[in-house]
Amino acid sequence: MTDPSPSAVNRFRHEALFYSGSAEFVNGTVPFVREGVASGEPVLVVESPEKIKTLRAALERDADQVFFADMSEVGANPARIIPAWCDFVNRHWVPGKSLRGIGEPIWSSRGADELVECQRHESLLNVAFGRGRPWSLLCPYDTATLRPEVIDEARRSHEFIVEGGSARRSENFRGIDASAAAFSAPLASAPPPLDEVTFEKGDLRRVRELVRKRAVAAGLDESRAYTLAVATNEVATNSILHGGGSGTLRIWQDVDRVICEVRDRGVFDLPLVDREAPGPDPSSPRGLWLANQLCDLVQIRTFHEATVVRLHMRLDPRANLSLVTDVESTEATMILPP
Amino acid sequence: MYSDAHLVVMRTARPGGIMIAGEIDISNTAAVAASLRDEFDGGTDPHLDLSRVSFVDVSGIRALVGLALQMAPNQRLLVHGLAAELETVLKVTGWADLPGLELCSCAGEA
């Protein structure tokens, strides 16, 4: 339990790298990548296009052995990052070999709601991989631009931290079980909604029409308004089937987005259900997975005797370029020469 | 074959198959699935015209997938006219590549 070296990975190693400035970023990441390349481990780097450029230059020919993906696409909705890592691990894992990843999901211009969901994502990585295959994920945090409380949370969501060039266990790591606990972080206060309706079985058509109408009036194009109605319908369906038979829908508009909130009396106790890619088995749940693939942000909370789901759709459609994320576009951005 | 306030399921003659018009959600999925099951009982590839379906939820897609899974080894369910947004739903829910299901891009002319 004392080995801080990432080269001896026999289980999932989730590590935060605290850096300030480009030189520290390069010094903290390049040896990690090079070690992986030297041992023939598959390496995937999910970073901003600028950092990918920096890393490619610093890695020189080793860059040819590394997969790169754009975090602004993969992580536009942070709930799509775990499926991308799952895909990477499942495709490239071979018995007896580890894998490596670098992923920087949090940057200073992330909106407040996105930041909280990214922090939830960091915790859920422990749940998704903590008891699975051995691989090593390094998550850079820019201490020059991120607030101290963001760094503090990274100490709780990562089992290891690299600070000032040395790796050690994080004393504040919350552990796998606490990472899986129901999430009840406060939601942003909402303005008076444009609409607030209760619904039960038989009302879904009315729910869809209301969402569509409001979304179009707020400035979403027809296709994205329809898509938001599809996602809201699934969440409301969950309320009817699993959340006490009814729910409350509220719709409002923020500066750059439309938000639909569904509130019911259900208990949400499957922390990864919205980010586990459903298999072909028809009975496996799909509603919240679908919502994450269709919407720009999905916030799920369990409060006292209530489950709340907020679906965000940005007015600017360019923010949703990675709509059909998964396999196709991830592959397109992951280029590994022969 | 089946109808409610928001949905009609009917037989079509050329080619032989079924056309659905309206919206499918948990209020009528079970009924739609039952009427389809009764109709497609082996033989040639059945045609299913969804060009007048303005909405299908996951439960409805699940019913179609269930139907596709029941096709004989050499039989496919030919789905016509699925709206682009609903095709996206089919893809992201992991159901686009079933051997028993084929999406036809013939503008819903079934």
Side-chain angles (χ1 to χ4, degrees):
Chain A
M1 300 292 279
T2 53
D3 184 2
S5 158
S7 57
V9 166
N10 54 14
R11 60 189 181 87
F12 179 57
R13 180 185 176 97
H14 192 200
E15 188 163 37
L17 164 70
F18 298 140
Y19 73 93
S20 171
S22 184
E24 278 187 32
F25 173 78
V26 168
N27 290 339
T29 52
V30 166
F32 175 83
V33 173
R34 283 225 158 102
E35 267 182 41
V37 170
S39 354
E41 295 174 11
V43 182
L44 169 59
V45 173
V46 192
E47 273 287 0
S48 66
E50 300 75 42
K51 288 225 172 66
I52 289 174
K53 206 173 153 192
T54 302
L55 275 176
R56 278 186 179 280
L59 287 164
E60 299 173 315
R61 292 189 60 174
D62 281 344
D64 296 344
Q65 305 301 316
V66 176
F67 296 99
F68 291 95
D70 182 350
M71 183 57 95
S72 64
E73 275 184 40
V74 175
N77 173 346
R80 298 186 205 144
I81 306 173
I82 283 178
W85 286 123
C86 277
D87 188 53
F88 168 68
V89 172
N90 290 336
R91 272 170 200 265
H92 297 284
W93 185 78
V94 290
K97 255 211 171 11
S98 185
L99 306 88
R100 290 182 188 226
I102 292 180
E104 185 167 357
I106 297 179
W107 51 87
S108 58
S109 61
R110 280 277 201 196
D113 289 335
E114 277 179 19
L115 173 63
V116 177
E117 297 314 309
C118 285
Q119 291 175 323
R120 175 65 170 162
H121 153 74
E122 285 279 38
S123 268
L124 287 176
L125 279 164
N126 304 313
V127 186
F129 298 107
R131 296 188 173 104
R133 289 170 175 164
W135 68 288
S136 201
L137 175 60
L138 185 66
C139 307
Y141 279 77
D142 184 352
T143 56
T145 58
L146 296 172
R147 295 193 311 272
E149 56 268 32
V150 176
I151 303 301
D152 287 345
E153 170 55 26
R155 292 179 199 278
R156 292 189 285 271
S157 57
H158 294 77
E159 186 175 3
F160 295 91
I161 50 178
V162 186
E163 203 166 11
S166 65
R168 60 186 162 81
R169 259 171 199 286
S170 174
E171 292 156 15
N172 308 102
F173 178 52
R174 62 167 56 93
I176 296 177
D177 291 341
S179 295
F183 195 47
S184 56
L187 289 161
S189 63
L194 300 168
D195 291 284
E196 176 164 344
V197 295
T198 57
F199 61 86
E200 55 185 18
K201 195 172 183 180
D203 295 331
L204 286 170
R205 193 164 183 268
R206 194 164 55 89
V207 163
R208 296 192 294 269
E209 278 178 1
L210 187 61
V211 171
R212 250 174 108 167
K213 198 181 74 190
R214 280 301 183 193
V216 167
L220 283 179
D221 67 44
E222 286 282 352
S223 175
R224 284 166 59 73
Y226 182 95
T227 298
L228 180 59
V230 169
T232 307
N233 180 83
E234 290 308 322
V235 176
T237 297
N238 280 348
S239 298
I240 291 167
L241 297 180
H242 313 295
S246 63
T248 304
L249 168 71
R250 301 199 302 155
I251 309 171
W252 66 90
Q253 188 176 351
D254 207 337
V255 182
D256 63 341
R257 62 192 61 206
V258 178
I259 297 171
C260 291
E261 180 192 270
V262 174
R263 187 176 287 259
D264 63 38
R265 286 161 288 149
V267 177
F268 182 78
D269 54 4
L270 298 167
L272 290 172
V273 76
D274 64 326
R275 47 200 97 195
E276 281 173 333
D281 173 10
S283 64
S284 60
R286 283 169 161 80
L288 289 170
W289 163 267
L290 181 66
N292 264 325
Q293 308 314 306
L294 299 180
C295 299
D296 295 317
L297 195 68
V298 176
Q299 300 182 282
I300 303 171
R301 296 292 185 276
T302 305
F303 298 122
H304 183 60
E305 292 180 356
T307 292
V308 181
V309 178
R310 284 188 183 176
L311 306 169
H312 298 233
M313 202 69 137
R314 288 175 192 264
L315 300 181
D316 177 1
R318 284 172 303 173
N320 202 31
L321 280 178
S322 53
L323 180 75
V324 184
T325 47
D326 43 354
V327 193
E328 279 172 35
S329 73
T330 312
E331 264 187 344
T333 50
M334 280 198 224
I335 301 154
L336 184 69
Chain B
M1 289 170 59
Y2 170 80
S3 69
D4 61 36
H6 308 296
L7 185 88
V8 178
V9 181
M10 63 189 101
R11 284 191 195 87
T12 56
R14 285 174 300 137
I18 286 178
M19 192 196 70
I20 305 178
E23 303 187 31
I24 306 175
D25 64 21
I26 52 164
S27 69
N28 54 20
T29 294
V32 172
S35 67
L36 294 179
R37 251 194 319 274
D38 294 346
E39 198 65 17
F40 297 148
D41 54 354
T44 55
D45 293 347
H47 291 258
L48 183 61
D49 181 355
L50 299 182
S51 58
R52 291 184 218 177
V53 169
S54 56
F55 182 83
V56 192
D57 74 346
V58 167
S59 79
I61 290 179
R62 184 177 278 130
L64 297 180
V65 166
L67 202 64
L69 289 172
Q70 285 166 26
M71 294 285 124
N74 295 323
Q75 199 185 20
R76 289 164 310 157
L77 176 64
L78 305 174
V79 174
H80 303 263
L82 190 66
E85 292 85 357
L86 297 172
E87 196 175 325
T88 300
V89 170
L90 197 68
K91 278 184 185 150
V92 301
T93 47
W95 278 326
D97 298 321
L98 293 178
L101 185 70
E102 181 163 329
L103 298 180
C104 304
S105 50
C106 45
E109 191 193 319

